Amino acid sequence: MVDKVKTLEDLRKLREDALEKRRVKSASGQIQIVVGMGTVGIAAGARETLKAILDYIEQESLSDVIVRQTGNIGLDSWEPIVQVTVGENPKVTYGKVSPDVARRIMKDHIVGGQVVKEFAIEA
Amino acid sequence: MRELALHLLDITENSVSAKADTIRILVEEDHAADRLKICVEDNGSGMSAEMVARVTDPFVTSRTTRKVGLGIPLLKAAAEACNGSLTIQSTLGKGTWVTVEFQQSHIDRMPLGNLASTILTLVIGSPEIHWIFNYTVDHQTYEFDNEPVKEVLGDLALTDPTVLGYLRESLETGIASLNGTA
């Protein structure tokens, strides 16, 4: 049995550190990433796509990025699908997002501010 | 799908779609009895008796974007091919309980796969839900409950990089500590 009290104590410490860091950084607007997690998306690899996004956030210490999942988006042949909204900019929908493509989106779009046109689906 | 953990993610999405606010996931490996059991219990909108009876038919779904739902029928077929079964108990307005069982040692049983990744996906992806995950291997249990975590975090997002690291490591080490087949 894992000692939950101790690990929650660790989490409390992490929270203080994280809030301290957040105060230093100036937010360039909230970033929201949504991954389609319906049956087709999961079968096409959406869990690995989401994992690649989370790993990137953890490794590069990106703050102010919210990651959510949603059910079937209705574009089956494009799964896995990832939707990105940066601040007030319009939502960009990406299709056939493998973990490699996800890492490119994180690097170019989330960090660099450039839409990865090659994988963007026209609205 | 090549992993039971992916099927688990898939059927749990049904509970999320059914607007459950508490979802309990049980994964149990019992080598002595040679059984592997997965249960997903939610307090979502539930289904009528008629819908439950028809839900394992691939041509039934409550979704409107596409007419064919394959998640449950695929998992049921996989279980039945391994001396197992899939059962659904549901009450309208109360919730749904899905149980799937396999013969643990059956040659055709797909691997449990990456349970930590599935649970992390659910906990991060639908943070408003109260998740209780219980993994038992031969009477040793690891439990993850996101409610105490959320209490500690307050308004700090689960996707804060340090919190992500904490969650990922807790789940990975907790699950690995049981020496199951995951």
Side-chain angles (χ1 to χ4, degrees):
Chain A
M1 196 69 206
V2 174
D3 187 348
K4 276 197 275 181
V5 179
K6 185 168 176 284
T7 56
L8 281 176
E9 213 38 65
D10 293 343
L11 185 61
R12 245 172 229 120
K13 179 76 175 63
L14 287 175
R15 175 176 187 271
E16 282 163 23
D17 293 348
L19 289 176
E20 193 65 37
K21 271 189 216 147
R22 198 166 64 168
R23 240 174 267 131
V24 181
K25 267 188 189 153
S26 65
S28 59
Q30 179 96 173
I31 295 168
Q32 175 152 304
I33 302 175
V34 179
V35 181
M37 210 54 79
T39 300
V40 176
I42 293 168
R47 191 191 65 184
E48 278 61 42
T49 297
L50 184 104
K51 189 68 168 46
I53 292 168
L54 298 181
D55 286 346
Y56 194 97
I57 291 171
E58 196 188 327
Q59 283 151 18
E60 304 295 321
S61 291
L62 301 183
S63 51
D64 300 310
V65 182
I66 298 295
V67 182
R68 299 297 307 256
Q69 63 169 0
T70 184
N72 189 280
I73 291 170
L75 296 162
D76 286 355
S77 55
W78 293 95
E79 296 280 3
I81 289 174
V82 172
Q83 296 180 316
V84 173
T85 313
V86 179
E88 301 294 302
N89 296 315
K91 179 171 72 187
V92 178
T93 300
Y94 290 106
K96 297 191 188 294
V97 185
S98 65
D100 277 342
V101 174
R103 283 185 281 271
R104 244 185 85 190
I105 293 168
M106 294 307 287
K107 186 166 174 277
D108 295 354
H109 190 170
I110 305 300
V111 179
Q114 296 295 316
V115 174
V116 184
K117 293 218 171 76
E118 206 181 325
F119 291 93
I121 300 172
E122 294 295 318
Chain B
M1 288 179 212
R2 294 182 304 268
E3 294 176 21
L4 287 176
L6 286 175
H7 279 283
L8 170 62
L9 178 58
D10 181 39
I11 60 170
T12 308
E13 290 297 330
N14 297 335
S15 299
V16 175
S17 303
K19 310 259 179 273
D21 57 30
T22 302
I23 301 176
R24 189 181 288 272
I25 294 171
L26 302 168
V27 177
E28 192 179 348
E29 293 185 50
D30 187 335
H31 290 90
D34 197 19
R35 301 307 279 176
L36 169 63
K37 191 164 97 174
I38 299 174
C39 296
V40 178
E41 188 189 341
D42 73 57
N43 65 349
S45 53
M47 292 177 281
S48 65
E50 187 206 8
M51 190 66 187
V52 172
R54 293 165 65 213
V55 82
T56 51
D57 182 328
F59 301 102
V60 172
T61 177
S62 63
R63 183 181 46 211
T64 50
T65 51
R66 199 160 41 81
K67 291 216 164 62
V68 182
L70 285 169
I72 292 275
L74 281 173
L75 184 54
K76 184 170 192 266
E80 287 173 353
C82 300
N83 293 329
S85 62
L86 182 146
T87 51
I88 301 174
Q89 288 170 284
S90 190
T91 310
L92 264 180
K94 289 253 168 86
T96 300
W97 190 328
V98 180
T99 303
V100 61
E101 266 195 75
F102 296 78
Q103 179 191 335
Q104 166 93 334
S105 65
H106 199 285
I107 188 107
D108 290 328
R109 181 182 63 78
M110 68 185 102
L112 200 41
N114 197 336
L115 268 182
S117 187
T118 285
I119 304 301
L120 188 67
T121 297
L122 293 167
V123 168
I124 298 287
S126 302
E128 64 287 343
I129 291 172
H130 180 190
W131 294 100
I132 302 155
F133 168 62
N134 206 293
Y135 179 39
T136 301
V137 178
D138 300 331
H139 313 296
Q140 263 203 309
T141 297
Y142 165 72
E143 188 175 273
F144 175 83
D145 184 329
N146 72 334
E147 203 73 345
V149 171
K150 284 199 284 189
E151 262 172 47
V152 170
L153 291 180
D155 66 340
L156 185 63
L158 289 168
T159 44
D160 182 274
T162 51
V163 178
L164 261 183
Y166 168 88
L167 288 173
R168 186 182 52 72
E169 273 174 35
S170 301
L171 287 166
E172 283 173 358
T173 54
I175 289 167
S177 71
L178 297 186
N179 292 313
T181 56

